[in-house]
Amino acid sequence: MLIKLIIFDLDGTLIDSLADLTDATNRMLSRFNRPELTREQVRLLVGQGARNLVERAMPGMTEDEIDEGLAIFLSHNEAHIADKTRLYPGVTETLARLRGSGRELAVISNKNVDLCRKILAFLGIEAYFTEVLGADSLPFRKPSPEPVLKLLRDFGVSAQAAAMVGDSINDIAAGRGAGIVTVGCTYGYGEIAELAEADCRIGSFAEIADLPLFKNSNS
């Protein structure tokens, strides 16, 4: 069946935001006199939402300290949402090509939805996406399939006519749990092993449009 809906992860798939996430993490850590983390260390913390990142960055802290740290992290991240964040090469051109082929595009992120929309708008690609879901859009977030299932209902698309594109095990698990095709992005933040169960893998964003999976959309 032809793919009519393509769902994208955000961080590590459409955008390289790791430098800004690292800055926000280290701003938070400085408040508690904790040593800074490297970009590589922060990469390993990304993917399960901001609170999870804060908890893993500051093990042993109390709930009140985690709450304070989360507030610092989110405030800094929102104020500096795209100081260093950039689109991966080929994103704009590929999204335009996919939309031009008649497909619907959407985003599911474990970042809060307002921040998702803010960064998509800042980077000039918000208009390509008909719907955006964030960590606070539903009671469940990736790796739960529920956000994917919601989009299938919203667009009136069967699981056989949808695909999930992402760089982490959360994306692949959410897509597989909903019964849709999955595409793993090996250039993102996740480890290659996390993408082992993806139906196919790509080494650059531009490769998406040339996958056999997405050919002949208008036929």
Short mmCIF file of all heavy atoms in Angstrom, two decimals, residues 1-3 97-98 101 103 207-219:
data_model
loop_
_atom_site.label_atom_id
_atom_site.label_comp_id
_atom_site.label_asym_id
_atom_site.label_seq_id
_atom_site.Cartn_x
_atom_site.Cartn_y
_atom_site.Cartn_z
N MET A 1 0.84 -1.20 0.00
CA MET A 1 0.00 0.00 0.00
C MET A 1 0.87 1.25 0.00
O MET A 1 1.96 1.25 0.58
CB MET A 1 -0.93 0.01 1.22
CG MET A 1 -1.87 1.21 1.28
SD MET A 1 -3.04 1.14 2.65
CE MET A 1 -4.12 -0.16 2.08
N LEU A 2 0.41 2.29 -0.65
CA LEU A 2 1.17 3.53 -0.72
C LEU A 2 1.18 4.25 0.62
O LEU A 2 0.20 4.24 1.35
CB LEU A 2 0.55 4.45 -1.78
CG LEU A 2 0.52 3.88 -3.20
CD1 LEU A 2 -0.23 4.82 -4.12
CD2 LEU A 2 1.93 3.64 -3.69
N ILE A 3 2.31 4.87 0.93
CA ILE A 3 2.46 5.62 2.17
C ILE A 3 1.85 7.01 1.99
O ILE A 3 2.29 7.80 1.15
CB ILE A 3 3.94 5.74 2.57
CG1 ILE A 3 4.55 4.34 2.77
CG2 ILE A 3 4.07 6.57 3.84
CD1 ILE A 3 3.90 3.53 3.87
N ARG A 97 9.69 18.18 -1.11
CA ARG A 97 9.50 17.13 -2.10
C ARG A 97 8.42 16.14 -1.65
O ARG A 97 7.56 15.73 -2.44
CB ARG A 97 10.82 16.40 -2.32
CG ARG A 97 10.80 15.33 -3.40
CD ARG A 97 12.20 14.78 -3.58
NE ARG A 97 12.21 13.59 -4.43
CZ ARG A 97 13.28 12.84 -4.67
NH1 ARG A 97 14.44 13.17 -4.10
NH2 ARG A 97 13.20 11.79 -5.44
N LEU A 98 8.44 15.79 -0.39
CA LEU A 98 7.46 14.84 0.13
C LEU A 98 6.05 15.44 0.13
O LEU A 98 5.08 14.77 -0.23
CB LEU A 98 7.86 14.39 1.53
CG LEU A 98 9.13 13.54 1.62
CD1 LEU A 98 9.53 13.34 3.08
CD2 LEU A 98 8.94 12.19 0.93
N SER A 101 4.55 15.58 -3.24
CA SER A 101 4.09 14.30 -3.76
C SER A 101 2.71 13.93 -3.23
O SER A 101 2.20 12.85 -3.52
CB SER A 101 5.09 13.19 -3.42
OG SER A 101 5.09 12.92 -2.03
N ARG A 103 1.73 13.79 0.11
CA ARG A 103 1.66 13.15 1.41
C ARG A 103 1.37 14.15 2.53
O ARG A 103 1.69 15.33 2.43
CB ARG A 103 2.97 12.44 1.72
CG ARG A 103 3.24 11.25 0.81
CD ARG A 103 4.43 10.47 1.32
NE ARG A 103 4.68 9.33 0.46
CZ ARG A 103 5.41 9.43 -0.66
NH1 ARG A 103 5.92 10.57 -1.03
NH2 ARG A 103 5.59 8.35 -1.40
N GLU A 207 18.00 10.98 1.99
CA GLU A 207 17.77 9.64 1.45
C GLU A 207 16.31 9.20 1.57
O GLU A 207 15.88 8.28 0.88
CB GLU A 207 18.65 8.63 2.18
CG GLU A 207 20.15 8.79 1.92
CD GLU A 207 20.96 7.82 2.75
OE1 GLU A 207 20.48 6.69 3.00
OE2 GLU A 207 22.07 8.18 3.16
N ILE A 208 15.55 9.85 2.44
CA ILE A 208 14.16 9.43 2.69
C ILE A 208 13.35 9.42 1.40
O ILE A 208 12.64 8.46 1.09
CB ILE A 208 13.49 10.35 3.72
CG1 ILE A 208 14.16 10.20 5.09
CG2 ILE A 208 12.00 10.06 3.83
CD1 ILE A 208 13.71 11.22 6.09
N ALA A 209 13.44 10.51 0.66
CA ALA A 209 12.59 10.66 -0.52
C ALA A 209 12.90 9.63 -1.61
O ALA A 209 12.06 9.39 -2.49
CB ALA A 209 12.73 12.08 -1.08
N ASP A 210 14.08 9.03 -1.57
CA ASP A 210 14.46 8.06 -2.59
C ASP A 210 14.27 6.61 -2.16
O ASP A 210 14.58 5.69 -2.93
CB ASP A 210 15.92 8.29 -3.00
CG ASP A 210 16.09 9.61 -3.74
OD1 ASP A 210 15.20 9.97 -4.52
OD2 ASP A 210 17.11 10.29 -3.51
N LEU A 211 13.74 6.41 -0.96
CA LEU A 211 13.48 5.03 -0.53
C LEU A 211 12.37 4.43 -1.40
O LEU A 211 11.39 5.10 -1.71
CB LEU A 211 13.02 5.01 0.93
CG LEU A 211 14.08 5.30 2.00
CD1 LEU A 211 13.42 5.40 3.37
CD2 LEU A 211 15.15 4.22 2.01
N PRO A 212 12.51 3.19 -1.81
CA PRO A 212 11.46 2.53 -2.60
C PRO A 212 10.09 2.61 -1.92
O PRO A 212 9.06 2.67 -2.57
CB PRO A 212 11.96 1.09 -2.70
CG PRO A 212 13.44 1.19 -2.58
CD PRO A 212 13.69 2.31 -1.63
N LEU A 213 10.12 2.64 -0.60
CA LEU A 213 8.90 2.73 0.20
C LEU A 213 8.04 3.93 -0.17
O LEU A 213 6.81 3.89 -0.08
CB LEU A 213 9.33 2.84 1.67
CG LEU A 213 8.28 3.01 2.76
CD1 LEU A 213 7.48 1.72 2.89
CD2 LEU A 213 8.97 3.35 4.07
N PHE A 214 8.71 5.03 -0.57
CA PHE A 214 8.00 6.29 -0.82
C PHE A 214 7.90 6.64 -2.29
O PHE A 214 7.65 7.81 -2.65
CB PHE A 214 8.69 7.43 -0.06
CG PHE A 214 8.70 7.23 1.42
CD1 PHE A 214 9.81 7.59 2.17
CD2 PHE A 214 7.62 6.68 2.07
CE1 PHE A 214 9.83 7.40 3.54
CE2 PHE A 214 7.63 6.49 3.44
CZ PHE A 214 8.73 6.86 4.18
N LYS A 215 8.10 5.71 -3.16
CA LYS A 215 8.00 5.97 -4.59
C LYS A 215 6.55 5.95 -5.05
O LYS A 215 5.69 5.32 -4.44
CB LYS A 215 8.79 4.93 -5.39
CG LYS A 215 10.29 5.01 -5.18
CD LYS A 215 10.86 6.31 -5.73
CE LYS A 215 12.39 6.30 -5.70
NZ LYS A 215 12.95 7.55 -6.21
N ASN A 216 6.31 6.65 -6.17
CA ASN A 216 5.01 6.61 -6.87
C ASN A 216 3.83 6.97 -5.98
O ASN A 216 2.81 6.31 -5.97
CB ASN A 216 4.78 5.22 -7.46
CG ASN A 216 5.89 4.80 -8.40
OD1 ASN A 216 6.38 5.60 -9.18
ND2 ASN A 216 6.27 3.54 -8.33
N SER A 217 3.97 8.08 -5.22
CA SER A 217 2.92 8.47 -4.28
C SER A 217 1.64 8.89 -4.96
O SER A 217 0.57 8.82 -4.38
CB SER A 217 3.40 9.61 -3.42
OG SER A 217 3.64 10.76 -4.18
N ASN A 218 1.71 9.36 -6.18
CA ASN A 218 0.52 9.88 -6.83
C ASN A 218 -0.19 8.86 -7.72
O ASN A 218 -1.16 9.17 -8.39
CB ASN A 218 0.87 11.12 -7.66
CG ASN A 218 1.25 12.30 -6.80
OD1 ASN A 218 0.68 12.51 -5.75
ND2 ASN A 218 2.23 13.08 -7.24
N SER A 219 0.35 7.64 -7.80
CA SER A 219 -0.25 6.64 -8.67
C SER A 219 -1.38 5.93 -7.96
O SER A 219 -1.54 6.02 -6.78
CB SER A 219 0.80 5.64 -9.11
OG SER A 219 1.38 5.00 -7.99
#
